Amino acid sequence: MNFDLGPALLFCPADRPERFQKASERADAVILDLEDAVLPDAKDAARRNVIAADIDPHRVIVRVNAPDTDAFMADLSALAQTDFRTVMVAKTESAESLAAFDERYSLIALCETARGVHAADRIAAHPTVSAMMWGAEDLVASLGGTSSRNADGGYRDIARYARARVLLEAGAHGKAAIDAVHIDLDDSDGLQREARDAAASGFRATACIHPSQVELIRAAYRPDDTSIDWARAVLAAAESERGVFRFEGRMIDEPVLRHARSVVYRAR
């Protein structure tokens, strides 16, 4: 997996250039959004802002409009005038829709419609895709629904299925997976629970929409000291063992060692 920006990815409307630098400083990467966060009559100005942006291109993702929209080609024209090469493609619904991008680009395919989730396996196999992300609200809207969550704040079954499918297909094709935003800004506990679950399940990052969510996500992805110590110790013990072995009362085999490597990786 060549996606390695960090766990907290912060959306920033591309029509608010005064926020670009601060967003870049606060998060592991900033997503300059040319799609839903920008009204149609502000998109041209937003593209000019992206062209003029003076921030580290290695920590910038640009979200472009869906490939079947008129705005998409204008977004690509703007991108060509920048050094930004990590692109999030909104409402990706097929691998064929990504043909406009060449090998210079690293794509994050955002599967947020019924068609996109249905085609997640073929999208994940596309050679320019480095990561997959899913979206709950657009998905439910594409099905004619009204809410992605139950009264208790948890995801409805259809959203849970989409989340799992995108994660599974990303992993099956050696690509990273990014978890969806938590839109309830006052629900810190819910964000922490979901981010901890995302990290434990294998997501590489979680997207967010407010700077206050960044540290909550980072903390959720950061293993605690006990887990780090155990992971390092079991990996050290494995260097002198062959095959399955016993460590601190637990059977250790290769899947467990892979879990330990993941803990050490996230600790960095």
Side-chain angles (χ1 to χ4, degrees):
M1 299 180 187
N2 58 2
F3 179 90
D4 194 18
L5 292 175
L9 312 180
L10 177 61
F11 276 99
C12 182
D15 62 347
R16 300 299 299 271
E18 72 279 4
R19 297 182 181 179
F20 289 2
Q21 187 62 45
K22 186 175 181 179
S24 179
E25 292 169 355
R26 290 288 300 272
D28 298 311
V30 58
I31 305 169
L32 302 183
D33 191 4
L34 289 168
E35 198 222 6
D36 282 348
V38 181
L39 293 173
D41 60 0
K43 288 189 185 293
D44 285 340
R47 295 184 189 103
R48 292 194 293 271
N49 295 336
V50 170
I51 293 170
D54 184 20
I55 48 180
D56 181 2
H58 299 293
R59 297 180 54 245
V60 172
I61 300 164
V62 178
R63 177 161 77 165
V64 298
N65 287 272
D68 62 353
T69 64
D70 293 337
F72 178 69
M73 293 309 297
D75 292 347
L76 295 193
S77 178
L79 273 176
Q81 301 174 59
T82 75
D83 293 326
F84 303 137
R85 291 295 178 265
T86 304
V87 182
M88 179 180 291
V89 184
K91 298 178 179 65
T92 304
E93 293 190 334
S94 70
E96 292 75 17
S97 70
L98 304 176
F101 296 95
D102 59 34
E103 66 279 358
R104 293 176 300 166
Y105 292 95
S106 175
L107 303 184
I108 300 171
L110 181 45
C111 297
E112 52 184 340
T113 65
R115 288 181 177 178
V117 173
H118 178 68
D121 55 341
R122 298 180 293 281
I123 294 169
H126 195 280
T128 58
V129 170
S130 62
M132 302 276 285
M133 181 174 163
W134 77 289
E137 305 313 318
D138 279 300
L139 169 65
V140 171
S142 77
L143 294 167
T146 58
S147 175
S148 67
R149 295 182 182 270
N150 296 307
D152 64 1
Y155 280 124
R156 297 183 187 279
D157 286 348
I158 187 60
R160 294 173 59 238
Y161 167 77
R163 184 177 189 249
R165 176 164 170 78
V166 169
L167 173 62
L168 185 65
E169 295 300 342
H173 291 87
K175 312 295 174 71
I178 301 168
D179 204 11
V181 300
H182 194 86
I183 63 174
D184 186 348
L185 298 179
D186 295 327
D187 184 22
S188 297
D189 291 342
L191 171 60
Q192 287 179 308
R193 284 194 301 271
E194 284 181 9
R196 283 195 294 266
D197 178 77
S201 298
F203 283 95
R204 294 282 291 277
T206 292
C208 58
I209 54 177
H210 194 275
S212 65
Q213 297 178 315
V214 168
E215 286 305 322
L216 296 175
I217 291 169
R218 284 175 172 164
Y221 275 78
R222 186 183 305 121
D224 59 51
D225 291 341
T226 299
S227 298
I228 296 169
D229 291 344
W230 180 87
R232 288 173 174 164
V234 75
L235 290 173
E239 294 178 1
S240 59
E241 298 284 352
R242 297 180 61 186
V244 178
F245 64 98
R246 181 186 177 95
F247 181 79
E248 295 183 354
R250 182 177 177 182
M251 185 199 78
I252 306 299
D253 58 4
E254 182 55 30
V256 177
L257 294 177
R258 289 201 297 270
H259 294 173
R261 294 184 193 107
S262 294
V263 169
V264 172
Y265 174 84
R266 286 199 285 121
R268 295 200 300 269

